[in-house]
């Protein structure tokens, strides 16, 4: 995977720093009380969204989670409409009705984030079924946390995808916790990927902070399902830098472990920067330029969101029932 074109490296890097800038800014705004609603920052997990989505085409779809900003940005969503939605404004993705956890953009194959843990899994199968039924050469990627793999929806979805041979790709973001519960207090298997065997599919565990490893595993999984080799459950080992949501306390995290994961050798962004410099892809100053651009794009999107109009109160009952 280290033989990509320069543009491919830069695109992946831009995606990661855009996600980081988006969620660090959203976290600050939520902490200061400027943003209404919940924010579940994705910081620390960027390599997964960026690596997976770098292998997707416009025809492919994704189904996201409550921690979904990263997936949605990596699939090409408009960050101005995202911030407008977070601010509850009329110009937001859902007209300000949904906030952070229900952003969707069907035109870009973003079927939606979801506030219900594990609820995206059966939806992803439905999308995969539809893609297959319509004869599209495409897959549906489902992102979900380790906590979600203890829900019945996970097991039903893997069983159905395997039995019906659906083009669903299961991407587990194993950050070690479901809210405040450490993973091994809630499951009795060493690896989430082991669960794939129960459904006759391939299970792999990878370093989820190594964006090129994620890209490689995604490429192999898509190739496998498209060539009749069955589905894949990719378990990506990672760590969330922040609390579960902004406002939560993190007493359940070991400070030494937290510091280890935030170090430059573990954080996916400095890791990828070091790799690009070592491979002669770009210089430190080119990297700084890309970072600065990501931050200024985000600030512009925040301004757009803040200054957008509030929804019209007379429309409050809209989108509840379908008009006939
Ligand atoms: C069905 C359901 N149960 C509980 C919750 C409350 N809740 C929200 S996020 C979360 C933890 C999810 O953990 P995981 O799936 O590992 O994802 P992560 O937050 O680590 O990304 C819980 C329990 C919920 N939203 N939905």
């Amino acid at each position: 995977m280290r033989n990509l074109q320069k543009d491919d490296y830069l695109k992946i890097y831009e995606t990661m720093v855009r996600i980081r800038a988006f969620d660090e800014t959203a976290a600050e705004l939520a902490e200061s009380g400027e943003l209404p609603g919940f924010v579940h920052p994705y910081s620390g997990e960027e390599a997964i969204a960026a690596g997976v989505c770098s292998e997707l085409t416009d025809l492919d779809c994704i189904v996201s989670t409550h921690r979904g900003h990263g997936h949605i940005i990596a699939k090409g969503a408009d960050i101005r409409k995202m911030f407008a939605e977070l601010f509850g404004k009329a110009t937001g993705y859902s007209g300000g009705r949904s906030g952070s956890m229900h952003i969707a953009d069907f035109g870009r194959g973003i079927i939606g984030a979801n506030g219900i843990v594990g609820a995206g899994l059966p939806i992803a199968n439905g999308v995969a079924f539809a893609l297959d039924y319509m004869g599209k050469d495409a897959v549906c990627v489902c992102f979900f946390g380790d906590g979600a793999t203890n829900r019945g929806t996970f097991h039903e979805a893997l069983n159905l995808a395997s039995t019906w041979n659906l083009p669903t790709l299961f991407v587990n973001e194993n950050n070690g916790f479901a809210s405040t519960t450490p993973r091994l207090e809630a499951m009795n298997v060493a690896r989430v990927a082991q669960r794939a065997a129960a459904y006759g599919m391939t299970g792999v565990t990878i370093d989820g902070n190594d964006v090129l490893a994620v890209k490689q595993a995604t490429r192999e999984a898509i190739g496998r399902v498209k060539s009749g080799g069955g589905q894949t459950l990719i378990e990506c080992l990672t760590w969330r830098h922040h609390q579960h949501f902004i406002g939560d306390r993190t007493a359940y995290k070991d400070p030494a472990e937290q510091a280890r994961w935030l170090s430059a050798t573990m954080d996916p962004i400095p890791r990828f920067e070091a790799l690009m410099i070592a491979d002669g892809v770009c210089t430190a100053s080119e990297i700084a330029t890309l970072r600065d651009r990501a931050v200024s794009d985000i600030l512009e999107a925040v301004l757009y969101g803040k200054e957008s109009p509030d929804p019209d109160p007379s429309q409050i009952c809209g989108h509840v029932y379908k008009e006939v």
Side-chain angles (χ1 to χ4, degrees), residues 66-67 115-117 145-148 151 175 177-179 244:
H66 56 285
R67 199 176 304 290
I116 302 172
V117 173
D146 44 285
R151 289 215 57 218
N175 60 23
F177 294 95
S179 293
H244 170 56

Side-chain angles (χ1 to χ4, degrees), residues 124-190:
N125 272 347
V127 175
F129 178 88
L131 291 170
D132 190 44
Y133 189 73
M134 293 186 297
K136 308 262 189 221
D137 181 27
V139 299
C140 183
V141 174
C142 187
F143 295 99
F144 50 93
D146 44 285
T149 72
N150 296 325
R151 289 215 57 218
T153 48
F154 166 82
H155 297 275
E156 290 174 23
L158 265 69
N159 185 52
L160 194 74
S162 168
T163 307
W164 287 8
N165 196 23
L166 301 176
T168 320
L169 171 55
F170 297 97
V171 178
N172 170 237
E173 302 181 310
N174 180 357
N175 60 23
F177 294 95
S179 293
T180 56
T181 307
R183 186 178 67 82
L184 291 176
E185 280 184 23
M187 69 175 73
N188 196 22
V189 283

Side-chain angles (χ1 to χ4, degrees), residues 11-68:
K11 179 87 188 50
I12 291 169
Y13 181 70
E14 274 186 318
T15 302
M16 288 206 287
V17 287
R18 205 171 166 81
I19 296 170
R20 177 70 58 93
F22 187 100
D23 263 359
E24 288 303 307
T25 308
E28 274 171 30
L29 291 166
E31 239 152 42
S32 69
E34 276 189 81
L35 272 188
F38 282 96
V39 170
H40 299 82
Y42 193 66
S43 298
E45 306 188 20
E46 295 89 349
I48 305 171
V52 169
C53 291
S54 71
E55 286 294 310
L56 302 184
T57 70
D58 289 348
L59 281 181
D60 294 320
C61 295
I62 64 163
V63 171
S64 177
T65 68
H66 56 285
R67 199 176 304 290

Side-chain angles (χ1 to χ4, degrees), residues 66-85:
H66 56 285
R67 199 176 304 290
H69 302 158
H71 315 136
I72 292 164
I73 292 170
K75 194 68 171 68
D78 180 340
I79 53 173
R80 297 186 346 146
K81 288 175 76 173
M82 287 178 72
F83 261 114
E85 189 56 43

